[in-house]
Amino acid sequence: MRRNRRRPFPPGQELPYPACPAAQGHGPGQGARAPCYVAGSSWSLLWVRAAPGDPRAVCGWEGRGWSGRKMLPTTSVSSPNQGNGALNSRDAARHTAGAKRYKYLRRLLHFRQMDFEFAVWQMLYLFTSPQRVYRNFHYRKQTKDQWARDDPAFLVLLSIWLCVSTIGFGFVLDMGFFQMIKLLLWVVFIDCVGVGLLIATLMWFISNKYLVKRQSRDYDVEWGYAFDVHLNAFYPLLVILHFIQLFFINYVISSTSFMGYFVGNTVWLIAIGYYIYVTFLGYSALPFLKNTVILLYPFALLILLYVLSLALGWNFTKTLCTFYEFRVK
């Protein structure tokens, strides 16, 4: 196959018809005049929404940039009546929750199979345009028949961020080496993993029990997707509270003046508010859910708590620092 030496396109960019490999006759989408998208970067999968005779079908194009090293088999899309995407009996075995979980955990041990460049792209867009990140989840559903990530690269990078920011918190609080290690273990395994599993399970249960439009086996929220939504929302909160806030703790936030707890509590308001917003975007992106706007209702409680904290002089950040110091004693 003749290789196209075009320069790789930016992540998430919609490509015009002439630039689409499928539209140019390279593979299953030959002759289909439909746009395609670069779901990741030059090292990621390119999913083409085109196929002969059926513009709803999809095919995959994998390789570095536009090299065309490998063509993925065409994956047919379920009819609209199937909603969440029912599978035939032949493919059911390899699409079970156990098989997906095994594949995900196995890739944790193979760093060469992880797309860290695409994970960094997602982390950047979670701040600038989180809707674009969830648009990629739609492409994954159409091509791999699952909403949840099958690449643990995002989780690995998030863990690295968490470790680095927690060590920075330890330096700010003037902790010793062993105290810092103890704090790191608490934050990683309790605050991130433990609380994350609890929140994901709770949201998975609520969404399947009360938010699904039609109770059916084909209309359900994957637990892995609920966990991914939590990770997406947790990352901006982590950067704001565990990284940006560090530069203001000793000089502004720790003071007993009104400006101290005003700045500190405002940072918490922004971080938790963004967590709620990204969580709402994650569940509203699922076409088979209804009334997802109720996920924005906690904003009212958050603002009320913020006003009360300013009135009472309660500094959230100083409370967190005291709690961290109590943990490592």
Side-chain angles (χ1 to χ4, degrees), residues 8-11 38-45 63-65 111-125 151 153-154 157:
F9 287 83
V38 177
S41 58
S42 60
W43 295 80
S44 303
L45 300 182
R64 302 184 180 184
F111 284 89
R112 290 180 176 271
Q113 297 181 10
M114 299 185 194
D115 192 349
F116 290 104
E117 189 175 349
F118 182 45
V120 171
W121 172 83
Q122 288 182 312
M123 288 181 167
L124 292 176
Y125 272 98
D151 186 354
F154 187 91
L157 291 183

PDB file of all heavy atoms in Angstrom, residues 8-11 38-45 63-65 111-125 151 153-154 157:
ATOM      1  N   PRO A   8       0.825  14.990  10.322  1.00  0.00           N
ATOM      2  CA  PRO A   8      -0.280  14.627  11.213  1.00  0.00           C
ATOM      3  C   PRO A   8      -1.128  15.840  11.562  1.00  0.00           C
ATOM      4  O   PRO A   8      -0.612  16.944  11.712  1.00  0.00           O
ATOM      5  CB  PRO A   8       0.436  14.081  12.456  1.00  0.00           C
ATOM      6  CG  PRO A   8       1.785  13.679  11.970  1.00  0.00           C
ATOM      7  CD  PRO A   8       2.124  14.617  10.854  1.00  0.00           C
ATOM      8  N   PHE A   9      -2.427  15.631  11.713  1.00  0.00           N
ATOM      9  CA  PHE A   9      -3.341  16.706  12.033  1.00  0.00           C
ATOM     10  C   PHE A   9      -3.490  16.841  13.536  1.00  0.00           C
ATOM     11  O   PHE A   9      -3.277  15.890  14.281  1.00  0.00           O
ATOM     12  CB  PHE A   9      -4.711  16.448  11.405  1.00  0.00           C
ATOM     13  CG  PHE A   9      -4.708  16.646   9.916  1.00  0.00           C
ATOM     14  CD1 PHE A   9      -4.289  15.628   9.077  1.00  0.00           C
ATOM     15  CD2 PHE A   9      -5.090  17.842   9.362  1.00  0.00           C
ATOM     16  CE1 PHE A   9      -4.274  15.798   7.709  1.00  0.00           C
ATOM     17  CE2 PHE A   9      -5.081  18.019   7.989  1.00  0.00           C
ATOM     18  CZ  PHE A   9      -4.671  16.997   7.162  1.00  0.00           C
ATOM     19  N   PRO A  10      -3.867  18.015  14.028  1.00  0.00           N
ATOM     20  CA  PRO A  10      -4.026  18.218  15.477  1.00  0.00           C
ATOM     21  C   PRO A  10      -5.108  17.314  16.030  1.00  0.00           C
ATOM     22  O   PRO A  10      -6.047  16.949  15.334  1.00  0.00           O
ATOM     23  CB  PRO A  10      -4.426  19.696  15.583  1.00  0.00           C
ATOM     24  CG  PRO A  10      -3.970  20.314  14.305  1.00  0.00           C
ATOM     25  CD  PRO A  10      -4.097  19.240  13.268  1.00  0.00           C
ATOM     26  N   PRO A  11      -5.023  16.963  17.329  1.00  0.00           N
ATOM     27  CA  PRO A  11      -6.036  16.089  17.944  1.00  0.00           C
ATOM     28  C   PRO A  11      -7.414  16.703  17.891  1.00  0.00           C
ATOM     29  O   PRO A  11      -7.590  17.893  18.114  1.00  0.00           O
ATOM     30  CB  PRO A  11      -5.548  15.950  19.389  1.00  0.00           C
ATOM     31  CG  PRO A  11      -4.103  16.301  19.335  1.00  0.00           C
ATOM     32  CD  PRO A  11      -3.951  17.289  18.229  1.00  0.00           C
ATOM     33  N   VAL A  38      -9.620  12.879  13.811  1.00  0.00           N
ATOM     34  CA  VAL A  38      -8.445  12.362  14.473  1.00  0.00           C
ATOM     35  C   VAL A  38      -8.778  12.302  15.952  1.00  0.00           C
ATOM     36  O   VAL A  38      -8.844  13.312  16.621  1.00  0.00           O
ATOM     37  CB  VAL A  38      -7.214  13.262  14.246  1.00  0.00           C
ATOM     38  CG1 VAL A  38      -6.020  12.732  15.003  1.00  0.00           C
ATOM     39  CG2 VAL A  38      -6.909  13.333  12.767  1.00  0.00           C
ATOM     40  N   ALA A  39      -9.038  11.103  16.437  1.00  0.00           N
ATOM     41  CA  ALA A  39      -9.473  10.974  17.824  1.00  0.00           C
ATOM     42  C   ALA A  39      -8.349  11.273  18.795  1.00  0.00           C
ATOM     43  O   ALA A  39      -8.574  11.691  19.901  1.00  0.00           O
ATOM     44  CB  ALA A  39     -10.002   9.562  18.074  1.00  0.00           C
ATOM     45  N   GLY A  40      -7.126  11.072  18.410  1.00  0.00           N
ATOM     46  CA  GLY A  40      -6.016  11.351  19.292  1.00  0.00           C
ATOM     47  C   GLY A  40      -4.968  12.186  18.595  1.00  0.00           C
ATOM     48  O   GLY A  40      -5.255  13.206  18.008  1.00  0.00           O
ATOM     49  N   SER A  41      -3.748  11.755  18.609  1.00  0.00           N
ATOM     50  CA  SER A  41      -2.672  12.491  17.978  1.00  0.00           C
ATOM     51  C   SER A  41      -2.048  11.614  16.899  1.00  0.00           C
ATOM     52  O   SER A  41      -2.645  10.662  16.448  1.00  0.00           O
ATOM     53  CB  SER A  41      -1.639  12.866  19.038  1.00  0.00           C
ATOM     54  OG  SER A  41      -1.162  11.686  19.657  1.00  0.00           O
ATOM     55  N   SER A  42      -0.817  11.939  16.521  1.00  0.00           N
ATOM     56  CA  SER A  42      -0.185  11.197  15.441  1.00  0.00           C
ATOM     57  C   SER A  42       0.089   9.744  15.811  1.00  0.00           C
ATOM     58  O   SER A  42       0.381   8.936  14.955  1.00  0.00           O
ATOM     59  CB  SER A  42       1.132  11.879  15.055  1.00  0.00           C
ATOM     60  OG  SER A  42       2.007  11.925  16.170  1.00  0.00           O
ATOM     61  N   TRP A  43       0.022   9.390  17.119  1.00  0.00           N
ATOM     62  CA  TRP A  43       0.252   8.018  17.555  1.00  0.00           C
ATOM     63  C   TRP A  43      -1.040   7.306  17.899  1.00  0.00           C
ATOM     64  O   TRP A  43      -1.020   6.189  18.386  1.00  0.00           O
ATOM     65  CB  TRP A  43       1.161   8.007  18.788  1.00  0.00           C
ATOM     66  CG  TRP A  43       2.515   8.518  18.509  1.00  0.00           C
ATOM     67  CD1 TRP A  43       2.907   9.813  18.412  1.00  0.00           C
ATOM     68  CD2 TRP A  43       3.698   7.745  18.285  1.00  0.00           C
ATOM     69  NE1 TRP A  43       4.231   9.906  18.151  1.00  0.00           N
ATOM     70  CE2 TRP A  43       4.753   8.651  18.067  1.00  0.00           C
ATOM     71  CE3 TRP A  43       3.964   6.388  18.253  1.00  0.00           C
ATOM     72  CZ2 TRP A  43       6.043   8.231  17.821  1.00  0.00           C
ATOM     73  CZ3 TRP A  43       5.260   5.981  18.019  1.00  0.00           C
ATOM     74  CH2 TRP A  43       6.279   6.888  17.793  1.00  0.00           C
ATOM     75  N   SER A  44      -2.190   7.948  17.677  1.00  0.00           N
ATOM     76  CA  SER A  44      -3.459   7.389  18.135  1.00  0.00           C
ATOM     77  C   SER A  44      -4.281   6.864  16.977  1.00  0.00           C
ATOM     78  O   SER A  44      -3.910   6.980  15.815  1.00  0.00           O
ATOM     79  CB  SER A  44      -4.257   8.458  18.879  1.00  0.00           C
ATOM     80  OG  SER A  44      -3.497   8.965  19.951  1.00  0.00           O
ATOM     81  N   LEU A  45      -5.422   6.320  17.341  1.00  0.00           N
ATOM     82  CA  LEU A  45      -6.321   5.782  16.340  1.00  0.00           C
ATOM     83  C   LEU A  45      -7.066   6.900  15.628  1.00  0.00           C
ATOM     84  O   LEU A  45      -7.452   7.890  16.231  1.00  0.00           O
ATOM     85  CB  LEU A  45      -7.330   4.855  16.998  1.00  0.00           C
ATOM     86  CG  LEU A  45      -6.742   3.644  17.728  1.00  0.00           C
ATOM     87  CD1 LEU A  45      -7.878   2.815  18.285  1.00  0.00           C
ATOM     88  CD2 LEU A  45      -5.892   2.820  16.794  1.00  0.00           C
ATOM     89  N   GLY A  63      -2.001   3.951  13.005  1.00  0.00           N
ATOM     90  CA  GLY A  63      -0.629   4.108  12.579  1.00  0.00           C
ATOM     91  C   GLY A  63      -0.066   5.414  13.057  1.00  0.00           C
ATOM     92  O   GLY A  63      -0.711   6.174  13.761  1.00  0.00           O
ATOM     93  N   ARG A  64       1.125   5.710  12.701  1.00  0.00           N
ATOM     94  CA  ARG A  64       1.760   6.960  13.096  1.00  0.00           C
ATOM     95  C   ARG A  64       1.432   8.012  12.047  1.00  0.00           C
ATOM     96  O   ARG A  64       1.949   7.978  10.938  1.00  0.00           O
ATOM     97  CB  ARG A  64       3.260   6.782  13.222  1.00  0.00           C
ATOM     98  CG  ARG A  64       3.615   5.700  14.233  1.00  0.00           C
ATOM     99  CD  ARG A  64       5.108   5.593  14.427  1.00  0.00           C
ATOM    100  NE  ARG A  64       5.443   4.569  15.389  1.00  0.00           N
ATOM    101  CZ  ARG A  64       6.678   4.311  15.804  1.00  0.00           C
ATOM    102  NH1 ARG A  64       7.684   5.012  15.316  1.00  0.00           N
ATOM    103  NH2 ARG A  64       6.899   3.357  16.674  1.00  0.00           N
ATOM    104  N   GLY A  65       0.622   8.963  12.443  1.00  0.00           N
ATOM    105  CA  GLY A  65       0.204   9.966  11.483  1.00  0.00           C
ATOM    106  C   GLY A  65      -0.662   9.350  10.417  1.00  0.00           C
ATOM    107  O   GLY A  65      -1.660   8.724  10.697  1.00  0.00           O
ATOM    108  N   PHE A 111       3.654  -0.747  29.021  1.00  0.00           N
ATOM    109  CA  PHE A 111       3.670   0.695  28.784  1.00  0.00           C
ATOM    110  C   PHE A 111       3.760   1.026  27.295  1.00  0.00           C
ATOM    111  O   PHE A 111       3.310   2.087  26.867  1.00  0.00           O
ATOM    112  CB  PHE A 111       4.846   1.340  29.529  1.00  0.00           C
ATOM    113  CG  PHE A 111       4.619   1.470  31.007  1.00  0.00           C
ATOM    114  CD1 PHE A 111       4.975   0.446  31.863  1.00  0.00           C
ATOM    115  CD2 PHE A 111       4.032   2.599  31.546  1.00  0.00           C
ATOM    116  CE1 PHE A 111       4.756   0.558  33.230  1.00  0.00           C
ATOM    117  CE2 PHE A 111       3.813   2.727  32.897  1.00  0.00           C
ATOM    118  CZ  PHE A 111       4.173   1.710  33.747  1.00  0.00           C
ATOM    119  N   ARG A 112       4.329   0.137  26.510  1.00  0.00           N
ATOM    120  CA  ARG A 112       4.439   0.400  25.082  1.00  0.00           C
ATOM    121  C   ARG A 112       3.073   0.414  24.394  1.00  0.00           C
ATOM    122  O   ARG A 112       2.923   0.992  23.319  1.00  0.00           O
ATOM    123  CB  ARG A 112       5.337  -0.645  24.416  1.00  0.00           C
ATOM    124  CG  ARG A 112       6.808  -0.529  24.783  1.00  0.00           C
ATOM    125  CD  ARG A 112       7.636  -1.604  24.093  1.00  0.00           C
ATOM    126  NE  ARG A 112       9.046  -1.452  24.356  1.00  0.00           N
ATOM    127  CZ  ARG A 112       9.877  -0.715  23.628  1.00  0.00           C
ATOM    128  NH1 ARG A 112       9.408  -0.070  22.572  1.00  0.00           N
ATOM    129  NH2 ARG A 112      11.153  -0.639  23.936  1.00  0.00           N
ATOM    130  N   GLN A 113       2.089  -0.222  25.005  1.00  0.00           N
ATOM    131  CA  GLN A 113       0.751  -0.261  24.424  1.00  0.00           C
ATOM    132  C   GLN A 113      -0.116   0.925  24.858  1.00  0.00           C
ATOM    133  O   GLN A 113      -1.244   1.045  24.410  1.00  0.00           O
ATOM    134  CB  GLN A 113       0.061  -1.572  24.811  1.00  0.00           C
ATOM    135  CG  GLN A 113       0.753  -2.810  24.277  1.00  0.00           C
ATOM    136  CD  GLN A 113       0.023  -4.084  24.655  1.00  0.00           C
ATOM    137  OE1 GLN A 113      -1.087  -4.045  25.159  1.00  0.00           O
ATOM    138  NE2 GLN A 113       0.642  -5.230  24.402  1.00  0.00           N
ATOM    139  N   MET A 114       0.394   1.775  25.733  1.00  0.00           N
ATOM    140  CA  MET A 114      -0.380   2.916  26.215  1.00  0.00           C
ATOM    141  C   MET A 114      -0.117   4.134  25.352  1.00  0.00           C
ATOM    142  O   MET A 114       1.014   4.394  24.930  1.00  0.00           O
ATOM    143  CB  MET A 114      -0.010   3.226  27.669  1.00  0.00           C
ATOM    144  CG  MET A 114      -0.285   2.101  28.637  1.00  0.00           C
ATOM    145  SD  MET A 114       0.058   2.598  30.348  1.00  0.00           S
ATOM    146  CE  MET A 114       0.071   0.992  31.147  1.00  0.00           C
ATOM    147  N   ASP A 115      -1.153   4.888  25.110  1.00  0.00           N
ATOM    148  CA  ASP A 115      -1.055   6.101  24.300  1.00  0.00           C
ATOM    149  C   ASP A 115      -0.995   7.309  25.232  1.00  0.00           C
ATOM    150  O   ASP A 115      -2.000   7.941  25.526  1.00  0.00           O
ATOM    151  CB  ASP A 115      -2.263   6.199  23.368  1.00  0.00           C
ATOM    152  CG  ASP A 115      -2.068   7.269  22.307  1.00  0.00           C
ATOM    153  OD1 ASP A 115      -1.115   8.056  22.436  1.00  0.00           O
ATOM    154  OD2 ASP A 115      -2.862   7.316  21.352  1.00  0.00           O
ATOM    155  N   PHE A 116       0.205   7.619  25.720  1.00  0.00           N
ATOM    156  CA  PHE A 116       0.358   8.711  26.677  1.00  0.00           C
ATOM    157  C   PHE A 116       0.150  10.072  26.017  1.00  0.00           C
ATOM    158  O   PHE A 116      -0.289  11.020  26.664  1.00  0.00           O
ATOM    159  CB  PHE A 116       1.741   8.648  27.331  1.00  0.00           C
ATOM    160  CG  PHE A 116       1.909   7.492  28.268  1.00  0.00           C
ATOM    161  CD1 PHE A 116       2.646   6.371  27.900  1.00  0.00           C
ATOM    162  CD2 PHE A 116       1.325   7.518  29.517  1.00  0.00           C
ATOM    163  CE1 PHE A 116       2.790   5.304  28.764  1.00  0.00           C
ATOM    164  CE2 PHE A 116       1.469   6.450  30.400  1.00  0.00           C
ATOM    165  CZ  PHE A 116       2.207   5.341  30.022  1.00  0.00           C
ATOM    166  N   GLU A 117       0.466  10.160  24.745  1.00  0.00           N
ATOM    167  CA  GLU A 117       0.275  11.430  24.047  1.00  0.00           C
ATOM    168  C   GLU A 117      -1.207  11.792  23.976  1.00  0.00           C
ATOM    169  O   GLU A 117      -1.600  12.940  24.185  1.00  0.00           O
ATOM    170  CB  GLU A 117       0.864  11.337  22.640  1.00  0.00           C
ATOM    171  CG  GLU A 117       0.909  12.670  21.908  1.00  0.00           C
ATOM    172  CD  GLU A 117       1.616  12.543  20.571  1.00  0.00           C
ATOM    173  OE1 GLU A 117       2.239  11.494  20.318  1.00  0.00           O
ATOM    174  OE2 GLU A 117       1.539  13.507  19.784  1.00  0.00           O
ATOM    175  N   PHE A 118      -2.034  10.813  23.709  1.00  0.00           N
ATOM    176  CA  PHE A 118      -3.476  11.047  23.668  1.00  0.00           C
ATOM    177  C   PHE A 118      -4.018  11.350  25.063  1.00  0.00           C
ATOM    178  O   PHE A 118      -4.926  12.169  25.234  1.00  0.00           O
ATOM    179  CB  PHE A 118      -4.175   9.826  23.077  1.00  0.00           C
ATOM    180  CG  PHE A 118      -5.659   9.976  22.939  1.00  0.00           C
ATOM    181  CD1 PHE A 118      -6.212  11.129  22.420  1.00  0.00           C
ATOM    182  CD2 PHE A 118      -6.500   8.956  23.332  1.00  0.00           C
ATOM    183  CE1 PHE A 118      -7.586  11.269  22.291  1.00  0.00           C
ATOM    184  CE2 PHE A 118      -7.875   9.084  23.210  1.00  0.00           C
ATOM    185  CZ  PHE A 118      -8.422  10.238  22.686  1.00  0.00           C
ATOM    186  N   ALA A 119      -3.472  10.696  26.103  1.00  0.00           N
ATOM    187  CA  ALA A 119      -3.895  10.967  27.471  1.00  0.00           C
ATOM    188  C   ALA A 119      -3.557  12.399  27.876  1.00  0.00           C
ATOM    189  O   ALA A 119      -4.355  13.068  28.549  1.00  0.00           O
ATOM    190  CB  ALA A 119      -3.234   9.973  28.428  1.00  0.00           C
ATOM    191  N   VAL A 120      -2.393  12.892  27.460  1.00  0.00           N
ATOM    192  CA  VAL A 120      -2.036  14.285  27.739  1.00  0.00           C
ATOM    193  C   VAL A 120      -2.990  15.229  27.016  1.00  0.00           C
ATOM    194  O   VAL A 120      -3.408  16.261  27.566  1.00  0.00           O
ATOM    195  CB  VAL A 120      -0.572  14.550  27.316  1.00  0.00           C
ATOM    196  CG1 VAL A 120      -0.257  16.038  27.388  1.00  0.00           C
ATOM    197  CG2 VAL A 120       0.385  13.764  28.202  1.00  0.00           C
ATOM    198  N   TRP A 121      -3.348  14.880  25.778  1.00  0.00           N
ATOM    199  CA  TRP A 121      -4.330  15.690  25.039  1.00  0.00           C
ATOM    200  C   TRP A 121      -5.644  15.774  25.803  1.00  0.00           C
ATOM    201  O   TRP A 121      -6.254  16.842  25.909  1.00  0.00           O
ATOM    202  CB  TRP A 121      -4.541  15.073  23.663  1.00  0.00           C
ATOM    203  CG  TRP A 121      -5.664  15.686  22.882  1.00  0.00           C
ATOM    204  CD1 TRP A 121      -5.610  16.818  22.122  1.00  0.00           C
ATOM    205  CD2 TRP A 121      -7.016  15.206  22.787  1.00  0.00           C
ATOM    206  NE1 TRP A 121      -6.839  17.074  21.558  1.00  0.00           N
ATOM    207  CE2 TRP A 121      -7.717  16.100  21.951  1.00  0.00           C
ATOM    208  CE3 TRP A 121      -7.687  14.112  23.322  1.00  0.00           C
ATOM    209  CZ2 TRP A 121      -9.067  15.925  21.645  1.00  0.00           C
ATOM    210  CZ3 TRP A 121      -9.026  13.937  23.022  1.00  0.00           C
ATOM    211  CH2 TRP A 121      -9.705  14.840  22.199  1.00  0.00           C
ATOM    212  N   GLN A 122      -6.095  14.660  26.359  1.00  0.00           N
ATOM    213  CA  GLN A 122      -7.338  14.667  27.123  1.00  0.00           C
ATOM    214  C   GLN A 122      -7.214  15.531  28.365  1.00  0.00           C
ATOM    215  O   GLN A 122      -8.151  16.270  28.722  1.00  0.00           O
ATOM    216  CB  GLN A 122      -7.713  13.238  27.518  1.00  0.00           C
ATOM    217  CG  GLN A 122      -8.195  12.382  26.362  1.00  0.00           C
ATOM    218  CD  GLN A 122      -8.604  10.996  26.822  1.00  0.00           C
ATOM    219  OE1 GLN A 122      -7.879  10.340  27.560  1.00  0.00           O
ATOM    220  NE2 GLN A 122      -9.764  10.545  26.382  1.00  0.00           N
ATOM    221  N   MET A 123      -6.091  15.470  29.046  1.00  0.00           N
ATOM    222  CA  MET A 123      -5.902  16.271  30.253  1.00  0.00           C
ATOM    223  C   MET A 123      -5.933  17.765  29.941  1.00  0.00           C
ATOM    224  O   MET A 123      -6.492  18.557  30.701  1.00  0.00           O
ATOM    225  CB  MET A 123      -4.566  15.905  30.919  1.00  0.00           C
ATOM    226  CG  MET A 123      -4.579  14.552  31.586  1.00  0.00           C
ATOM    227  SD  MET A 123      -3.011  14.145  32.401  1.00  0.00           S
ATOM    228  CE  MET A 123      -3.513  12.718  33.377  1.00  0.00           C
ATOM    229  N   LEU A 124      -5.357  18.151  28.824  1.00  0.00           N
ATOM    230  CA  LEU A 124      -5.388  19.563  28.441  1.00  0.00           C
ATOM    231  C   LEU A 124      -6.802  20.010  28.095  1.00  0.00           C
ATOM    232  O   LEU A 124      -7.257  21.079  28.523  1.00  0.00           O
ATOM    233  CB  LEU A 124      -4.451  19.794  27.248  1.00  0.00           C
ATOM    234  CG  LEU A 124      -2.952  19.625  27.522  1.00  0.00           C
ATOM    235  CD1 LEU A 124      -2.160  19.798  26.233  1.00  0.00           C
ATOM    236  CD2 LEU A 124      -2.477  20.626  28.568  1.00  0.00           C
ATOM    237  N   TYR A 125      -7.526  19.186  27.349  1.00  0.00           N
ATOM    238  CA  TYR A 125      -8.870  19.559  26.933  1.00  0.00           C
ATOM    239  C   TYR A 125      -9.881  19.470  28.067  1.00  0.00           C
ATOM    240  O   TYR A 125     -10.963  20.055  27.961  1.00  0.00           O
ATOM    241  CB  TYR A 125      -9.322  18.697  25.751  1.00  0.00           C
ATOM    242  CG  TYR A 125      -8.917  19.279  24.424  1.00  0.00           C
ATOM    243  CD1 TYR A 125      -7.782  18.819  23.759  1.00  0.00           C
ATOM    244  CD2 TYR A 125      -9.650  20.313  23.846  1.00  0.00           C
ATOM    245  CE1 TYR A 125      -7.403  19.364  22.548  1.00  0.00           C
ATOM    246  CE2 TYR A 125      -9.274  20.861  22.638  1.00  0.00           C
ATOM    247  CZ  TYR A 125      -8.149  20.385  21.988  1.00  0.00           C
ATOM    248  OH  TYR A 125      -7.760  20.938  20.791  1.00  0.00           O
ATOM    249  N   ASP A 151      -7.659   2.015  27.542  1.00  0.00           N
ATOM    250  CA  ASP A 151      -6.241   2.346  27.661  1.00  0.00           C
ATOM    251  C   ASP A 151      -6.008   2.985  29.031  1.00  0.00           C
ATOM    252  O   ASP A 151      -6.571   4.034  29.334  1.00  0.00           O
ATOM    253  CB  ASP A 151      -5.837   3.313  26.546  1.00  0.00           C
ATOM    254  CG  ASP A 151      -4.347   3.592  26.526  1.00  0.00           C
ATOM    255  OD1 ASP A 151      -3.643   3.124  27.441  1.00  0.00           O
ATOM    256  OD2 ASP A 151      -3.880   4.290  25.604  1.00  0.00           O
ATOM    257  N   ALA A 153      -3.578   4.635  30.155  1.00  0.00           N
ATOM    258  CA  ALA A 153      -2.573   5.702  30.155  1.00  0.00           C
ATOM    259  C   ALA A 153      -3.039   6.904  30.964  1.00  0.00           C
ATOM    260  O   ALA A 153      -2.242   7.529  31.681  1.00  0.00           O
ATOM    261  CB  ALA A 153      -2.263   6.114  28.714  1.00  0.00           C
ATOM    262  N   PHE A 154      -4.319   7.260  30.866  1.00  0.00           N
ATOM    263  CA  PHE A 154      -4.843   8.408  31.615  1.00  0.00           C
ATOM    264  C   PHE A 154      -4.716   8.162  33.112  1.00  0.00           C
ATOM    265  O   PHE A 154      -4.310   9.055  33.873  1.00  0.00           O
ATOM    266  CB  PHE A 154      -6.304   8.656  31.237  1.00  0.00           C
ATOM    267  CG  PHE A 154      -6.885   9.909  31.833  1.00  0.00           C
ATOM    268  CD1 PHE A 154      -6.831  11.111  31.146  1.00  0.00           C
ATOM    269  CD2 PHE A 154      -7.492   9.894  33.084  1.00  0.00           C
ATOM    270  CE1 PHE A 154      -7.365  12.274  31.693  1.00  0.00           C
ATOM    271  CE2 PHE A 154      -8.030  11.039  33.639  1.00  0.00           C
ATOM    272  CZ  PHE A 154      -7.966  12.240  32.933  1.00  0.00           C
ATOM    273  N   LEU A 157      -0.983   8.517  34.202  1.00  0.00           N
ATOM    274  CA  LEU A 157      -0.549   9.912  34.290  1.00  0.00           C
ATOM    275  C   LEU A 157      -1.203  10.624  35.470  1.00  0.00           C
ATOM    276  O   LEU A 157      -0.572  11.452  36.139  1.00  0.00           O
ATOM    277  CB  LEU A 157      -0.878  10.644  32.989  1.00  0.00           C
ATOM    278  CG  LEU A 157      -0.075  10.225  31.759  1.00  0.00           C
ATOM    279  CD1 LEU A 157      -0.461  11.078  30.560  1.00  0.00           C
ATOM    280  CD2 LEU A 157       1.419  10.323  32.022  1.00  0.00           C
TER     281      LEU A 157
END
